[in-house]
């Protein structure tokens, strides 16, 4: 019975039901997601991907004018990269999120370094946009100040940037 319930919940995630996605992550843990991917089941990423896009779109006020039209598309392409996809949905011990919010923030830092986000934007301003309730006091602020440590993730992001005409430094 429990496995049938897990399978049904996983199917709801695949359909894009984010609230059910959050429930399965809390009840079953992220390992269930990875176990199912290894077995060849579809990744529950449609609703989760949309959650990430909605989250990063909060930064739109500080996106450079020349990248505003393609900002969401850049993010969608980043989320499709294998190096990113295999880690972005593992939220670890982070609470109140369906995805690895710190990794999203670190990738956002790369957007800042390469000029997609206006250079003068501080991590405090970005934290206030991403997490309006706590702003500068939210833990995501620390992640906004550093790029990802994972070299494969950085390489994948840089490749997407170059594909979209962003000058990578």
């Amino acid at each position: 019975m429990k496995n049938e319930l897990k399978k049904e919940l996983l199917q709801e995630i695949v359909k894009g039901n984010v609230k059910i996605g959050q429930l399965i992550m809390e009840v079953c843990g992220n390992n269930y997601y990875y176990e199912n991917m290894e077995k060849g089941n579809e990744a529950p990423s449609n609703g989760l991907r949309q959650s990430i896009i909605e989250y990063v779109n909060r930064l739109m006020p500080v996106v450079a004018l020349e990248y505003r039209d393609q900002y969401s598309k850049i993010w969608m392409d980043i989320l499709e990269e294998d190096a990113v996809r295999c880690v972005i949905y593992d939220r670890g011990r982070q609470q109140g999120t369906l995805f690895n919010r710190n990794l999203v923030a670190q990738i956002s830092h790369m957007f800042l370094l390469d000029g997609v986000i206006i250079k003068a934007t501080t991590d405090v301003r970005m934290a206030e946009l991403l997490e309006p309730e706590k702003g500068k006091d939210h833990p995501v602020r620390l992640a906004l100040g550093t790029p990802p440590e994972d070299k494969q993730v950085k390489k994948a992001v840089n490749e997407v940037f170059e594909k979209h005409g962003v000058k990578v430094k």
Side-chain angles (χ1 to χ4, degrees):
M1 177 67 175
K2 190 175 181 182
N3 285 338
E4 288 177 26
L5 177 61
K6 286 181 181 180
K7 184 177 180 181
E8 186 177 323
L9 289 173
L10 183 63
Q11 290 169 345
E12 288 299 314
I13 295 172
V14 171
K15 292 177 189 173
N17 190 327
V18 176
K19 289 184 182 187
I20 297 293
Q22 185 173 14
L23 177 65
I24 196 172
M25 294 299 189
E26 290 174 8
V27 173
C28 306
N30 287 342
N31 287 339
Y32 184 73
Y33 163 78
Y34 292 107
E35 289 168 9
N36 278 280
M37 281 188 62
E38 288 173 7
K39 293 176 185 171
N41 294 341
E42 284 188 66
S45 58
N46 289 343
L48 295 175
R49 186 176 328 133
Q50 187 59 38
S51 294
I52 293 170
I53 296 301
E54 289 171 8
Y55 185 73
V56 298
N57 278 345
R58 295 177 188 175
L59 292 174
M60 198 58 80
V62 293
V63 173
L65 291 176
E66 61 265 30
Y67 295 109
R68 286 203 176 165
D69 290 341
Q70 54 184 332
Y71 177 75
S72 294
K73 176 66 175 139
I74 293 171
W75 266 105
M76 289 297 282
D77 288 352
I78 288 170
L79 297 176
E80 290 296 318
E81 292 290 319
D82 288 337
V84 175
R85 192 174 57 223
C86 70
V87 293
I88 199 89
Y89 301 113
D90 183 6
R91 67 182 176 140
R93 295 186 299 174
Q94 298 173 50
Q95 296 179 358
T97 184
L98 297 172
F99 51 85
N100 187 333
R101 184 178 48 223
N102 288 339
L103 180 58
V104 169
Q106 291 169 340
I107 293 171
S108 296
H109 179 75
M110 292 179 71
F111 276 73
L112 176 68
L113 292 176
D114 292 327
V116 177
I117 291 178
I118 299 167
K119 293 271 187 189
T121 307
T122 65
D123 57 343
V124 171
R125 175 69 175 132
M126 290 171 68
E128 289 170 344
L129 289 168
L130 289 172
E131 300 291 343
E133 314 83 48
K134 291 188 178 181
K136 67 179 182 178
D137 297 323
H138 196 280
V140 78
R141 179 181 170 199
L142 292 174
L144 287 164
T146 60
E149 292 178 15
D150 187 323
K151 291 178 182 177
Q152 295 298 327
V153 169
K154 282 197 269 192
K155 180 181 176 191
V157 171
N158 284 332
E159 287 173 0
V160 171
F161 280 177
E162 289 173 356
K163 174 181 158 187
H164 286 276
V166 177
K167 293 180 183 171
V168 178
K169 294 182 179 175

